[in-house]
């Protein structure tokens, strides 16, 4: 064991740096305590193998707490085989004072815990006497209940009383920070969480574990065993056993509409639709002889012929091509204008609009708009392996343009495919049956459909899909007692 006696500093702090103190009773007892706790934590499942860590201050009434020595468990040592001499000793400000001696193969060279900078933040900001880092599986699971949540909240739970300052009727709030590739990269986010939640005695790390502290090792262990870990354990089991999606916490596929779900209705009605209406004549005139536009015109002719037979308001005959380009375009513009004003969800219109919008996006006259919670949700679902699809009355081209040129950049990398009215009307059950068959899931309930339209929700439910209705600013009213779960943000999915 390498011991470094540090001179200087004066007073009580200097006294703790002497070789006699480092090898004295208080330090030895703390070494024994930590090695014993590591074996116990291993048995409890709070640490496993080399994962997890613990640090305890050497209690000494003659030394002010900020200056008391700090003992930390090493990295890379099997916790159930931890020996007192494996511990590191640091000064109150984190200076290394004593390190373990190397052991023969197959032991790794000694290294202080990778959690050291995070432990020091808890000591500095909370005047802690001990900090425990657990890799308990429940701590990981509870952060997966809602992958968008920045907090774990629970109330009316007996074990809450084990948390300092909380009673049965109080709400326990534990902040959640995102995991990083290396432990020390969590330092800043842990420090910010400690500052932002002054009442918290723990911080959860998503898909990783939990950091818990107390004014003594007894208090920290109590917080972990009766409070944070106990409540986390209960919640994780309740969710995994009661999940609507079987053994998983998320559906295999999510199908999203655009208007009123990912994107404000106002963007469509006040930006996209006026742009298409104002530029339809110009677009047709410039591209009239292209195969693409001739195909658009062919679809519009067929649609208008049906409209005229059915007496649809605003439909006017389209002259044959040999009548002259200008006359044909004028009739097309009149019909398209009527279709846009009526907000018709028909393929002929949506296909032409997509081609017009493409020009607008390519010239940077248009930029797609999504709600602020959308990019983070798409990224999170993608990281969890959940496939996300779009089903909109807008053409697949238009869908790709909106997400490929959004106010948050290109979001298409998070999307697995696009459906439009070619698959069927959005208010018909058979459309959702077709989508289910296309996605290749074992059962329709593995798909979650998000819409803002009651009739679409009813059709999707009849096909066996799980359904939630999106409540966004500007969305239309819903029938009373509609029976569907509603959300105001993707964070609630």
């Amino acid at each position: 064991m390498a011991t470094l006696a540090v001179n200087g500093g004066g007073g009580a702090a200097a006294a703790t740096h002497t070789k006699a103190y480092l090898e004295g009773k208080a330090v030895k007892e703390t070494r024994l305590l930590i090695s014993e706790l590591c074996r116990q934590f291993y048995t409890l499942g709070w640490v496993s193998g080399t994962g997890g860590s613990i640090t305890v201050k050497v209690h000494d009434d003659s030394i002010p707490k900020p200056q008391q020595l700090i003992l930390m468990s090493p990295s890379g040592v099997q916790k159930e085989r931890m020996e007192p001499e494996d511990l590191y000793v640091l000064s109150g400000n984190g200076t290394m004072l004593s390190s373990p001696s190397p052991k023969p193969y197959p032991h790794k060279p000694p290294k202080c815990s990778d959690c050291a900078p995070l432990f020091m933040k808890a000591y500095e900001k909370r005047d802690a006497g001990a900090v425990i880092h657990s890799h308990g599986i429940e701590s990981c699971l509870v952060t997966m209940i809602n992958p968008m949540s920045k907090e774990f909240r629970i109330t009316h739970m007996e074990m809450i009383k084990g948390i300092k300052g909380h009673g049965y009727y109080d709400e326990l709030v534990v902040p959640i920070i995102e995991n990083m590739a290396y432990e020390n990269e969590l330092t800043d986010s842990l420090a910010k969480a400690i500052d932002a939640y002054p009442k918290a005695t723990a911080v959860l790390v998503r898909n990783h574990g939990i950091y818990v502290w107390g004014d003594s090792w007894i208090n920290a262990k109590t917080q972990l065993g009766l409070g944070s870990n106990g409540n986390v354990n209960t919640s994780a089991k309740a969710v995994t056993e009661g999940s609507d999606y079987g053994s998983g916490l998320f559906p295999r596929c999510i199908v999203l509409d655009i208007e009123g779900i990912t994107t404000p209705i106002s963007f469509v009605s006040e930006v996209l639709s006026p742009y298409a209406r104002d530029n339809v004549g110009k677009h047709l005139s410039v591209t009239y002889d292209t195969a693409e536009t001739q195909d658009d015109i062919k679809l519009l002719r067929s649609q208008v012929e049906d409209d005229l037979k059915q007496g649809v308001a605003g439909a006017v005959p389209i002259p044959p091509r040999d009548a002259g380009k200008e006359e044909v375009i004028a009739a097309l513009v009149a019909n398209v204008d009527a279709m846009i004003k009526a907000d018709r969800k028909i393929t002929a219109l949506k296909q032409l609009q997509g081609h017009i919008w493409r020009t607008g996006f390519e010239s940077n006259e248009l930029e797609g708009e999504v709600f602020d919670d959308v990019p983070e949700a798409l990224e999170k679902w993608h990281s969890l392996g959940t496939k996300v699809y779009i089903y909109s009355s807008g053409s697949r081209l238009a869908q790709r343009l909106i997400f490929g040129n959004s106010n948050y950049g290109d979001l298409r990398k998070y999307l697995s495919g696009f459906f439009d009215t070619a698959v069927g009307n959005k208010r018909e059950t058979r459309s959702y049956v077709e989508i289910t068959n296309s996605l290749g899931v074992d059962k329709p309930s593995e798909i979650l459909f998000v819409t803002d339209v009651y009739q679409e929700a009813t059709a999707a439910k009849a096909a066996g899909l799980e359904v939630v209705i999106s409540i966004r600013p500007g969305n239309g009213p819903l029938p009373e007692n509609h029976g569907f779960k509603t959300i105001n943000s993707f964070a609630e999915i």
Side-chain angles (χ1 to χ4, degrees):
M1 184 186 305
T3 300
L4 174 65
V6 181
N7 297 318
T16 64
H17 297 178
T18 65
K19 183 177 181 180
Y21 192 89
L22 292 172
E23 297 177 355
K25 179 181 179 181
V27 175
K28 286 182 178 179
E29 288 180 347
T30 307
R31 287 180 179 274
L32 287 167
L33 170 67
I34 291 179
S35 60
E36 179 186 341
L37 288 174
C38 283
R39 287 190 292 273
Q40 183 181 9
F41 292 174
Y42 176 84
T43 302
L44 292 169
W46 294 356
V47 297
S48 57
T50 62
S53 192
I54 181 174
T55 175
V56 178
K57 283 198 170 185
V58 178
H59 179 71
D60 187 334
D61 288 329
S62 66
I63 307 295
K65 194 170 184 180
Q67 297 175 16
Q68 291 175 359
L69 294 185
I70 298 170
L71 268 65
M72 286 189 190
S73 60
S75 175
V77 175
Q78 301 292 322
K79 295 299 183 290
E80 77 276 18
R81 299 180 63 84
M82 186 83 63
E83 298 294 340
E85 60 268 22
D86 292 329
L87 279 297
Y88 282 79
V89 183
L90 289 72
S91 68
N93 62 11
T95 302
M96 189 68 66
L97 301 178
S98 176
S99 59
S101 300
K103 293 183 177 182
Y105 179 85
H107 298 282
K108 295 181 178 180
K111 176 187 175 185
C112 190
S113 173
D114 291 331
C115 305
L118 292 91
F119 287 155
M120 292 306 300
K121 289 298 181 183
Y123 283 134
E124 294 166 11
K125 293 179 174 291
R126 285 290 183 269
D127 196 27
V131 190
I132 303 168
H133 175 42
S134 168
H135 283 186
I137 187 64
E138 295 86 359
S139 300
C140 295
L141 288 174
V142 78
T143 64
M144 298 167 64
I145 294 173
N146 182 352
M148 302 299 297
S149 177
K150 302 299 183 184
E151 301 171 337
F152 166 70
R153 291 175 173 266
I154 192 168
T155 185
H156 288 72
M157 183 68 68
E158 179 66 18
M159 288 175 289
I160 289 177
K161 295 191 294 186
I163 301 293
K164 184 178 180 180
H166 291 77
Y168 175 75
Y169 296 104
D170 294 323
E171 182 178 46
L172 171 67
V173 181
V174 183
I176 301 174
I177 62 175
E178 300 301 323
N179 193 29
M180 305 291 284
Y182 300 98
E183 198 92 29
N184 59 10
E185 294 177 347
L186 296 169
T187 306
D188 288 344
S189 53
L190 180 112
K192 291 178 181 178
I194 292 175
D195 289 338
Y197 294 82
K199 196 176 179 181
T201 57
V203 172
L204 284 158
V205 184
R206 197 179 312 279
N207 303 331
H208 182 145
I210 189 171
Y211 282 84
V212 182
W213 56 88
D215 56 16
S216 68
W217 70 267
I218 294 176
N219 184 255
K221 180 174 178 288
T222 300
Q223 305 279 346
L224 184 61
L226 296 180
S228 301
N229 213 42
N231 289 301
V232 163
N233 186 5
T234 302
S235 297
K237 286 183 177 179
V239 171
T240 54
E241 291 173 2
S243 172
D244 289 338
Y245 300 106
S247 61
L249 293 175
F250 253 71
R252 284 183 58 189
C253 302
I254 297 176
V255 178
L256 304 170
D257 195 354
I258 295 179
E259 190 175 357
I261 292 86
T262 67
T263 299
I265 285 180
S266 59
F267 175 71
V268 178
S269 62
E270 298 175 11
V271 178
L272 289 184
S273 292
Y275 185 89
R277 185 176 61 246
D278 295 344
N279 288 276
V280 62
K282 176 182 176 182
H283 174 82
L284 291 172
S285 179
V286 172
T287 65
Y288 188 79
D289 293 318
T290 66
E292 181 179 82
T293 295
Q294 284 302 310
D295 184 55
D296 292 344
I297 293 174
K298 181 180 179 181
L299 277 177
L300 284 167
R301 283 185 184 277
S302 177
Q303 182 65 55
V304 171
E305 287 174 5
D306 289 344
D307 291 349
L308 289 170
K309 291 176 183 177
Q310 297 175 22
V312 175
V316 297
I318 300 175
R321 185 171 185 179
D322 57 14
K325 173 180 175 180
E326 300 304 324
E327 288 187 35
V328 172
I329 290 177
L332 288 168
V333 169
N335 280 287
V336 169
D337 185 66
M339 292 174 181
I340 291 175
K341 288 180 178 177
D343 192 25
R344 297 183 66 185
K345 313 294 186 182
I346 48 178
T347 301
L349 172 64
K350 297 303 180 180
Q351 180 172 298
L352 174 62
Q353 285 179 317
H355 295 150
I356 296 172
W357 291 331
R358 180 179 59 198
T359 301
F361 281 106
E362 289 176 348
S363 63
N364 294 319
E365 295 178 81
L366 293 174
E367 180 184 64
E369 182 179 350
V370 297
F371 289 108
D372 293 339
D373 59 290
V374 171
E376 186 176 359
L378 293 179
E379 181 179 8
K380 182 62 63 179
W381 297 336
H382 181 74
S383 69
L384 290 172
T386 298
K387 294 186 178 297
V388 181
Y389 299 84
I390 302 299
Y391 179 28
S392 171
S393 58
S395 68
R396 290 182 296 171
L397 170 61
Q399 297 171 29
R400 290 194 294 269
L401 289 169
I402 291 172
F403 290 101
N405 303 272
S406 83
N407 50 329
Y408 281 91
D410 190 347
L411 300 175
R412 291 174 298 176
K413 58 188 174 184
Y414 302 126
L415 302 174
S416 297
F418 303 87
F419 295 98
D420 59 16
T421 50
V423 80
N425 189 292
K426 293 177 65 184
R427 300 190 180 196
E428 295 180 359
T429 297
R430 63 182 180 181
S431 304
Y432 300 93
V433 173
E434 183 63 30
I435 288 175
T436 299
N437 293 335
S438 298
L439 299 188
V441 294
D442 294 327
K443 51 186 179 180
S445 60
E446 294 177 347
I447 304 172
L448 175 66
F449 178 54
V450 187
T451 180
D452 66 321
V453 178
Y454 172 72
Q455 292 85 348
E456 294 176 5
T458 302
K461 183 178 180 181
L465 279 67
E466 296 288 334
V467 181
V468 295
I469 294 182
S470 172
I471 307 295
R472 299 284 199 179
N475 286 11
L478 295 170
E480 291 186 12
N481 303 316
H482 54 75
F484 289 98
K485 177 182 177 181
T486 61
I487 59 169
N488 294 284
S489 165
F490 281 177
E492 299 173 39
I493 294 179

